[in-house]
């Protein structure tokens, strides 16, 4: 039925695995979402809690997923099926993998559209749109982009086509090579912008805001947002870490690489905050702006700086790179699946997956542009879902991700034979016990709490 991911398909080194997994993890979540949710939830205390969740729950679940991938050596669904067989439990457990695969794919249908916004902003910045911009022109620019179907179509199509191109070229020549070049460029650009922001903006207020924990500003809802974001930002429960684990050589340490990935992802999120908040505070903007934070306030700040065009273009190029390397990772799992299931050649698999993705992305594009057929009037456990975009975002990010993380933790913590997980993790017995405690109790319970909260079943 399945083909093992062949032994030619292995990361060239542990470092290139860490780099690629970091590239998958670092995306719009770090640069677009983290700063604004931190801004809305009071800064320092939120950051502290987020760090706690990343290392106590994110890292153990990340290890669980890489372990499933490396031992299963297949795309997520088949990998989980194989491990269920190996441990002699019901084959229904393979749903752990299939759910991740679908969640990643569904996320990509709107992620590609938002990445398209960033791409569009590269062209806008480079053509000088933001020189002399005012609050009105910046929000008009944003509003007209978001509601223009042709513009969204153009940039989403460009983004999906480039993703297909890279992944179609194969694992080594396409994916691995692309992230090896793109990640260092991304990091370099981010550091440059952070230095520039510290120079031109209000660094000390920003630093205090991010690192001085004011617990009175933290609510239970904020704590739950921090936990959800820990999953989203590490790309957990999306099939990604399973498929990347499938390319990990036998001898590599899952523990050490997972910790590095989480550290690097966290570092980028904090750096993004340090690049954005000095500008926000220095130019009299407010940290609680919401999702429009970087698209609507930063161009305004850039407009008031020297070198507007250069700075704005650099910033949005960096955002595109971050989103692009995440998109590559998301599509990889589906391409690997199509290769295995339908025995397609890599190029055919990539083009098929990309075409389907493009069709599905129309749901988000026309939700934004206001087309009647894409608007909904749903109430899902008390949550208003007014468009296809709102519905798939909510379904994937708030339901499939927590559920998928829960299952990966339970599957490796309770269902797989201990001997197998021990063999893959290869840790000291004390270290193993800590990991086991996290995936058996800490992660499932925490996820259950956030899940019930998001469904509105309990309310804190
Ligand atoms: N981690 C990504 C980000 O921070 C978002 C994401 C969630 C993702 N699941 C994914 C990216 C799966 C790639 C694959 O933006």
């Amino acid at each position: 039925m399945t083909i093992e991911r062949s032994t030619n398909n292995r990361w060239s080194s542990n470092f290139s695995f860490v780099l690629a997994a970091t590239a998958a993890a670092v995306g719009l979540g770090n640069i677009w979402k983290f700063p604004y949710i931190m801004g809305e939830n009071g800064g320092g205390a939120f950051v502290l809690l987020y760090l706690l969740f990343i290392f106590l729950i994110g890292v153990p679940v990340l290890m669980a997923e890489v372990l499933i991938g490396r031992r299963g050596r297949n795309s997520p669904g088949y990998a989980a099926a194989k491990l269920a067989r190996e441990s002699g439990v019901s084959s229904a457990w393979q749903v752990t993998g299939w759910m991740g695969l679908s969640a990643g794919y569904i996320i990509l249908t709107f992620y590609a559209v938002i990445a398209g916004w960033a791409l569009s902003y590269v062209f806008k910045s480079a053509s000088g749109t933001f020189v002399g911009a005012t609050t009105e022109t910046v929000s008009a620019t944003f509003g007209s982009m978001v509601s223009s179907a042709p513009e969204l179509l153009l940039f989403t199509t460009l983004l999906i086509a480039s993703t297909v191109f890279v992944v179609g070229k194969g694992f080594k020549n396409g994916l691995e090579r692309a992230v090896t070049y793109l990640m260092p460029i991304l990091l370099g650009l981010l550091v440059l912008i952070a230095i520039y922001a510290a120079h031109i903006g209000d660094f000390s207020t920003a630093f205090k805001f991010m690192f001085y924990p004011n617990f009175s500003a933290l609510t239970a809802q904020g704590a739950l947002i921090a936990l959800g974001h820990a999953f989203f930002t590490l790309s957990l429960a999306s099939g990604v870490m399973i498929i990347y684990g499938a390319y990990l050589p036998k001898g590599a340490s899952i523990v050490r690489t997972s910790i590095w990935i989480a550290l690097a992802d966290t570092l980028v999120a904090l750096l993004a905050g340090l690049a954005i908040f000095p500008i926000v505070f220095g130019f009299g903007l407010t940290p609680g702006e919401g999702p429009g934070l970087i698209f609507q306030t930063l161009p305004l700040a850039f407009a008031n700086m020297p070198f507007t065009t250069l700075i704005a273009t650099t910033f949005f190029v960096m955002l595109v790179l971050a989103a692009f390397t995440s998109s590559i990772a998301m599509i990889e799992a589906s391409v690997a699946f199509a290769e295995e299931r339908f025995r397609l050649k890599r190029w055919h698999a990539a083009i098929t997956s990309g075409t389907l993705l493009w069709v599905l992305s129309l749901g988000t594009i026309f939700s934004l542009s206001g087309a009647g057929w894409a608007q909904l009037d749903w109430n899902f456990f008390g949550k208003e879902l007014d468009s296809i975009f709102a519905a798939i975002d909510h379904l994937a990010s708030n339901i499939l991700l927590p559920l998928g993380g829960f299952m990966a933790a339970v599957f490796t913590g309770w269902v797989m034979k201990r001997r197998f997980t021990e063999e893959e993790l290869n840790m000291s017995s004390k270290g193993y016990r800590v990991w086991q405690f996290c995936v058996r109790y800490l992660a499932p319970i925490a996820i259950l709490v956030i899940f019930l909260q998001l469904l509105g079943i309990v309310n804190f």
Side-chain angles (χ1 to χ4, degrees):
M1 168 186 70
T2 64
I3 42 170
E4 289 254 320
R5 301 270 95 204
S6 105
T7 43
N8 297 329
N9 280 340
R10 294 288 182 270
W11 302 108
S12 309
S13 63
N14 289 354
F15 180 68
S16 77
F17 167 68
V18 171
L19 203 62
T22 304
V26 171
L28 297 168
N30 302 61
I31 300 169
W32 164 70
K33 196 168 182 195
F34 181 68
Y36 91 73
I37 57 178
M38 177 210 312
E40 287 178 333
N41 290 286
F46 178 85
V47 173
L48 202 67
L49 210 61
Y50 161 83
L51 292 178
L52 214 67
F53 287 148
I54 288 275
F55 289 97
L56 285 181
I57 297 171
V59 170
V61 173
L62 175 58
M63 286 165 59
E65 295 200 358
V66 175
L67 173 170
I68 293 174
R70 184 167 75 180
R71 198 165 180 92
R73 291 276 188 232
N74 272 291
S75 64
Y78 291 132
K82 192 166 135 191
L83 298 189
R85 262 197 312 277
E86 183 189 58
S87 285
V89 296
S90 157
S91 65
W93 279 103
Q94 62 182 289
V95 69
T96 312
W98 295 114
M99 234 176 62
L101 184 63
S102 355
Y105 203 73
I106 295 172
I107 290 178
L108 194 48
T109 69
F110 65 83
Y111 199 86
V113 179
I114 302 187
W117 297 359
L119 191 55
S120 152
Y121 266 57
V122 170
F123 289 96
K124 289 192 201 317
S125 312
S127 63
T129 306
F130 300 122
V131 176
T134 61
T135 317
E136 289 75 38
T137 60
V138 165
S139 71
T141 305
F142 184 72
S144 84
M145 172 193 69
V146 169
S147 57
S148 155
E151 188 172 346
L152 293 174
L153 266 174
L154 171 68
F155 289 106
T156 307
T157 308
L158 270 176
L159 200 108
I160 294 180
S162 334
T163 310
V164 165
F165 179 73
V166 167
V167 173
K169 281 173 83 84
F171 170 72
K172 281 228 172 262
N173 289 330
L175 196 161
E176 187 177 68
R177 187 180 298 171
V179 297
T180 312
Y181 286 108
L182 296 182
M183 260 324 266
I185 298 179
L186 164 75
L187 280 179
L189 290 181
L190 189 57
V191 170
L192 274 180
I193 294 179
I195 294 173
Y196 186 72
H199 179 68
I200 193 147
D202 183 351
F203 183 76
S204 75
T205 308
F207 192 85
K208 245 199 235 130
F209 176 71
M210 286 176 59
F211 297 110
Y212 182 81
N214 168 11
F215 285 97
S216 65
L218 189 70
T219 59
Q221 183 65 33
L224 296 171
I225 292 176
L227 178 60
H229 189 65
F231 274 88
F232 185 81
T233 191
L234 290 177
S235 294
L236 297 176
S238 319
V240 170
M241 294 304 172
I242 299 185
I243 189 68
Y244 275 20
Y247 301 129
L248 188 64
K250 194 78 205 148
S253 161
I254 292 180
V255 185
R256 225 167 316 139
T257 49
S258 298
I259 292 174
W260 273 113
I261 293 163
L263 280 175
D265 183 72
T266 305
L267 186 76
V268 171
L270 295 177
L271 257 175
L274 286 178
I276 290 165
F277 285 113
I279 298 179
V280 169
F281 290 117
F283 287 84
L285 306 167
T286 50
E289 275 315 310
L293 187 67
I294 63 175
F295 287 103
Q296 297 196 67
T297 61
L298 286 186
L300 188 62
F302 294 145
N304 291 303
M305 294 173 174
F307 313 115
T308 302
T309 298
L310 179 69
I311 303 289
T313 311
T314 309
F315 182 84
F316 288 108
V317 164
M318 179 196 70
L319 191 63
V320 169
L321 290 183
F324 183 57
T325 51
S326 294
S327 307
I328 291 176
M330 280 202 217
I331 211 171
E332 173 64 23
S334 67
V335 170
F337 162 72
E339 285 182 293
E340 287 163 10
R341 176 66 181 79
F342 306 109
R343 307 247 166 222
L344 294 183
K345 291 251 176 314
R346 184 95 184 162
W347 270 112
H348 290 163
I351 291 171
T352 309
S353 174
T355 307
L356 180 63
L357 189 65
W358 184 84
V359 172
L360 294 175
S361 76
L362 297 179
T364 294
I365 291 178
F366 287 100
S367 294
L368 292 168
S369 76
W373 63 267
Q375 311 306 313
L376 306 171
D377 184 15
W378 285 0
N379 187 311
F380 188 81
F381 292 93
K383 170 106 182 147
E384 294 293 338
L385 301 173
D386 58 4
S387 66
I388 294 184
F389 171 42
I392 56 179
D393 179 15
H394 186 67
L395 173 73
S397 312
N398 298 341
I399 296 174
L400 293 181
L401 289 192
L403 208 60
F406 179 85
M407 294 210 302
V410 170
F411 183 65
T412 51
W414 294 99
V415 178
M416 272 179 75
K417 287 221 163 71
R418 182 190 169 119
R419 180 156 58 87
F420 299 145
T421 51
E422 263 175 346
E423 200 177 301
E424 289 300 322
L425 294 178
N426 194 18
M427 313 165 81
S428 68
S429 71
K430 200 158 157 209
Y432 182 84
R433 275 205 303 277
V434 173
W435 173 79
Q436 201 184 37
F437 175 77
C438 292
V439 290
R440 282 194 157 183
Y441 303 102
L442 215 53
I445 291 171
I447 295 164
L448 216 58
V449 170
I450 176 176
F451 190 54
L452 295 177
Q453 161 80 19
L454 286 166
L455 287 178
I457 294 171
V458 294
N459 235 317
F460 295 96

